[in-house]
């Protein structure tokens, strides 16, 4: 009798985990130039939720993110934006940034040159960070500026900072200006478990040093509560409150949700039983508490809410509602090399009822997807449908990553750009 037929076991069911549209966000590439106070408490995530893929009414934008094949340490980011009809004079704005990065996987040590149609015309920014000691230094200086108009002091700064797992502090000075402030800005942020508190000093009021330090209008303080890691593959929840310059109270909320849903796709293998979706929700309320420090025509409060849903690797739906307008945006992304993304936004004016559209285009080969939808091995990220694919592993590198690793926040096998930061930078 011939050889016995060996029955091959069917492959286990899998759940697809598509790459996120924009991760890490572009604003994270220059976070070393910003105060940690302005980035923590969910501020960076809310900024991306409220701004990315939302185009201004009757405007277009295009952004190109390119890097050479032979040298991954350098890249170029060019952008243009303007009115769709082209009628507004001086409305067309263009920028280009040439960047050199010391470590391909660490964006915190870099030098870049920025050319712009606005002021300054040529700007240099640099940052040096030493992760072993948690110490960083940075500088921003305009090389060429227009003779007309005053250049903001934010373009002539130098700063030092320190960051660890529980503490971030830093200060900036303006040594290239006549009225050098010591400091121009200073911040202190501390994390205690799930709670984060911080304070920031910016001397905008007062004429003498002592008076500036004691003037509460130069101080801001904030507190936040956060659950979950900073990795986009895990759910997170953040609440923040802030008293800015003793004149404005800000309350914010941000939640990142990672869920799975059943899927029956005739173009996929039979073992594909589900797909991962990413849902983001955000809320921000700004309310005046001191009318003497704000203009008379300024509104007493501002409220905005936003939500986004990434259904798969190709489609993203976003919407936001404010006091004066509402915007709905649909984005499509093709994961070629380079990747292409096109988005259209429809903005409704609450006062007039008019609806105007904006358009956006992105070409990107700087940020590569670390995991692809076509990969047959993926892991369930939340336990709500774990019975569909028990024991599934997501193969990353030399060893598979198990569900228990995700639950325990063990991200050592993930690509570096997807691991949560271990320090408050």
């Amino acid at each position: 009798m011939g050889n016995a037929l060996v029955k091959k076991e069917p492959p286990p069911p899998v759940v697809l985990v598509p790459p996120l549209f924009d991760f890490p966000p572009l604003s994270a590439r220059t976070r070393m130039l910003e105060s940690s106070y302005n980035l923590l408490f969910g501020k960076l995530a809310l900024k991306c939720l409220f701004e990315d893929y939302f185009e201004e009414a009757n405007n277009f934008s295009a952004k190109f993110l390119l890097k050479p094949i032979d040298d991954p340490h350098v890249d170029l980011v060019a952008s243009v934006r303007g009115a769709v009809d082209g009628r507004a004079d001086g409305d067309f704005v263009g920028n280009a940034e040439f960047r050199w990065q010391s470590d391909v996987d660490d964006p915190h040590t870099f030098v870049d040159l920025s050319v712009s149609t606005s002021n300054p015309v040529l700007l240099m920014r640099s940052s040096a960070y030493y992760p072993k000691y948690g110490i960083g230094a940075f500088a921003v200086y305009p090389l060429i500026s227009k003779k007309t108009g005053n250049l903001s002091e934010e373009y002539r700064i130098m700063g030092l900072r320190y960051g660890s797992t529980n503490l971030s502090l830093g200060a900036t000075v303006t040594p290239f200006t006549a009225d050098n402030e010591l400091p121009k800005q200073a911040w202190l942020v501390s994390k205690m478990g799930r709670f984060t508190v911080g304070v920031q000093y910016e001397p905008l009021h007062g004429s003498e040093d002592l008076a500036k330090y004691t003037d509460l209008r130069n101080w801001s303080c904030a507190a936040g509560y956060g659950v979950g890691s900073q990795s986009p593959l895990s759910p997170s929840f953040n609440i923040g409150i802030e008293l800015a310059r003793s004149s404005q109270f800000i309350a914010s909320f941000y939640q990142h949700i990672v869920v799975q849903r059943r899927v029956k796709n005739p173009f996929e293998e039979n073992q594909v039983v589900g797909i991962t979706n990413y849902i983001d929700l955000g809320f921000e309320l700004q309310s005046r508490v001191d009318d003497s420090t704000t203009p008379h025509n300024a509104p007493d409060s501002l409220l905005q809410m936003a939500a986004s849903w990434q259904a798969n690797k190709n489609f993203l739906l976003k919407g936001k509602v404010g006091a004066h307008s509402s915007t709905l945006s649909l984005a499509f992304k093709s994961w070629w090399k380079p990747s292409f993304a096109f988005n259209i936004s429809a903005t409704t004016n609450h006062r007039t009822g008019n609806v105007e559209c904006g358009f956006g285009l992105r070409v990107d080969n700087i940020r590569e997807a670390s995991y692809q939808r076509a990969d047959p091995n993926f892991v369930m990220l939340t336990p709500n449908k774990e019975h569909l694919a028990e024991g599934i592993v997501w193969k990353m590198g030399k060893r598979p990553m198990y569900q228990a690793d995700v639950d325990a926040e063990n991200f050592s096998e993930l690509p570096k750009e997807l691991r949560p930061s271990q320090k408050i930078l």
Side-chain angles (χ1 to χ4, degrees), residues 12 67-68 70 97 100 142 164 189 204 223 241 252 259 285 331 360 369 375:
K67 66 178 179 181
D70 298 335
E97 296 177 2
W100 175 86
S164 67
V189 180
L204 299 181
I241 56 174
S252 62
V259 297
L285 170 66
D375 194 325

Side-chain angles (χ1 to χ4, degrees), residues 86-101:
R87 296 177 182 176
D89 295 334
D91 187 60
F92 185 84
V93 178
N95 297 278
E97 296 177 2
F98 177 79
R99 175 184 173 108
W100 175 86
Q101 189 170 301

Side-chain angles (χ1 to χ4, degrees), residues 224-293:
Y225 175 83
V227 178
S229 72
Q230 298 179 19
S231 172
L233 305 184
S234 295
S236 62
F237 178 90
N238 291 275
I239 295 178
I241 56 174
E242 179 182 6
L243 181 61
R245 302 189 176 282
S246 299
S247 62
Q248 190 176 47
F249 175 76
I250 304 173
S252 62
F253 158 80
Y254 173 78
Q255 184 172 13
H256 176 67
I257 305 172
V258 183
V259 297
Q260 279 79 35
R261 60 181 175 88
R262 285 182 178 271
V263 64
K264 276 292 183 181
N265 191 335
F267 300 102
E268 294 291 349
E269 301 293 338
N270 293 331
Q271 66 266 26
V272 176
V273 298
I275 189 171
T276 302
N277 284 189
Y278 309 107
I279 301 174
D280 294 276
L281 305 172
F283 164 90
E284 185 178 71
L285 170 66
Q286 301 181 15
S287 181
R288 287 191 296 169
V289 295
D290 187 359
D291 295 338
S292 62
T293 59

Side-chain angles (χ1 to χ4, degrees), residues 65-79:
L65 304 91
L66 307 172
K67 66 178 179 181
I69 300 177
D70 298 335
D71 190 356
H73 294 274
V74 299
D75 60 66
L76 175 69
V77 178
S79 62

Side-chain angles (χ1 to χ4, degrees), residues 306-347:
S308 71
W309 171 41
Q310 183 176 334
N312 52 40
K313 73 183 181 74
N314 298 117
F315 290 99
L316 173 69
L317 180 65
K318 299 186 69 173
K320 66 176 179 179
V321 179
H324 305 291
S325 63
S326 302
T327 305
L328 185 66
S329 180
L330 176 64
F332 170 80
K333 187 167 188 176
S334 177
W335 293 92
W336 300 338
K337 289 187 178 181
S339 65
F340 291 83
F342 174 79
N343 62 288
I344 178 172
S345 301
T347 301

Side-chain angles (χ1 to χ4, degrees), residues 53-346:
Y53 294 102
F54 286 118
E55 306 298 334
E56 295 183 10
N58 198 34
N59 274 256
F60 77 93
S61 70
K63 183 169 290 187
F64 302 89
L65 304 91
L66 307 172
K67 66 178 179 181
I69 300 177
D70 298 335
D71 190 356
H73 294 274
V74 299
D75 60 66
L76 175 69
V77 178
S79 62
V80 293
R81 59 181 174 86
V84 174
D85 53 16
R87 296 177 182 176
D89 295 334
D91 187 60
F92 185 84
V93 178
N95 297 278
E97 296 177 2
F98 177 79
R99 175 184 173 108
W100 175 86
Q101 189 170 301
S102 175
D103 189 339
V104 176
D105 298 317
D106 184 4
H108 303 316
T109 299
F110 68 92
V111 176
D112 72 15
L113 292 174
S114 175
V115 181
S116 176
T117 57
S118 59
N119 208 17
V121 176
L122 181 61
L123 180 71
M124 183 181 69
R125 302 181 299 181
S126 63
S127 171
Y129 177 65
Y130 304 92
K132 180 179 179 179
Y133 306 102
I135 299 176
F138 56 95
V140 179
Y141 187 74
L143 300 179
I144 301 176
S145 59
K146 296 181 180 179
K147 296 181 179 180
T148 59
N150 295 326
L151 192 62
S152 174
E153 292 183 355
E154 66 178 306
Y155 296 116
R156 296 187 179 97
I157 64 169
M158 297 182 65
L160 289 173
R161 63 191 305 142
Y162 168 79
S164 67
T165 55
N166 298 314
L167 181 68
S168 175
L169 58 91
T172 64
V173 295
T174 55
F176 308 109
T177 59
D179 52 344
N180 182 21
E181 299 283 356
L182 292 174
K184 181 62 180 177
Q185 184 186 58
W187 70 89
L188 174 64
V189 180
S190 177
K191 185 177 182 181
M192 299 166 288
R194 295 178 175 178
F195 291 93
T196 304
V197 294
V199 62
Q200 181 165 267
Y201 168 75
E202 289 182 285
L204 299 181
H205 301 276
S207 57
E208 298 180 359
D209 290 340
L210 182 60
K212 292 180 180 180
Y213 294 136
T214 57
D215 194 332
L216 295 180
R217 295 175 299 176
N218 295 329
W219 293 86
S220 300
C221 58
Y225 175 83
V227 178
S229 72
Q230 298 179 19
S231 172
L233 305 184
S234 295
S236 62
F237 178 90
N238 291 275
I239 295 178
I241 56 174
E242 179 182 6
L243 181 61
R245 302 189 176 282
S246 299
S247 62
Q248 190 176 47
F249 175 76
I250 304 173
S252 62
F253 158 80
Y254 173 78
Q255 184 172 13
H256 176 67
I257 305 172
V258 183
V259 297
Q260 279 79 35
R261 60 181 175 88
R262 285 182 178 271
V263 64
K264 276 292 183 181
N265 191 335
F267 300 102
E268 294 291 349
E269 301 293 338
N270 293 331
Q271 66 266 26
V272 176
V273 298
I275 189 171
T276 302
N277 284 189
Y278 309 107
I279 301 174
D280 294 276
L281 305 172
F283 164 90
E284 185 178 71
L285 170 66
Q286 301 181 15
S287 181
R288 287 191 296 169
V289 295
D290 187 359
D291 295 338
S292 62
T293 59
T294 54
H296 296 291
N297 57 352
D300 292 333
S301 61
L302 294 175
L303 173 66
Q304 58 178 345
M305 297 179 290
S308 71
W309 171 41
Q310 183 176 334
N312 52 40
K313 73 183 181 74
N314 298 117
F315 290 99
L316 173 69
L317 180 65
K318 299 186 69 173
K320 66 176 179 179
V321 179
H324 305 291
S325 63
S326 302
T327 305
L328 185 66
S329 180
L330 176 64
F332 170 80
K333 187 167 188 176
S334 177
W335 293 92
W336 300 338
K337 289 187 178 181
S339 65
F340 291 83
F342 174 79
N343 62 288
I344 178 172
S345 301

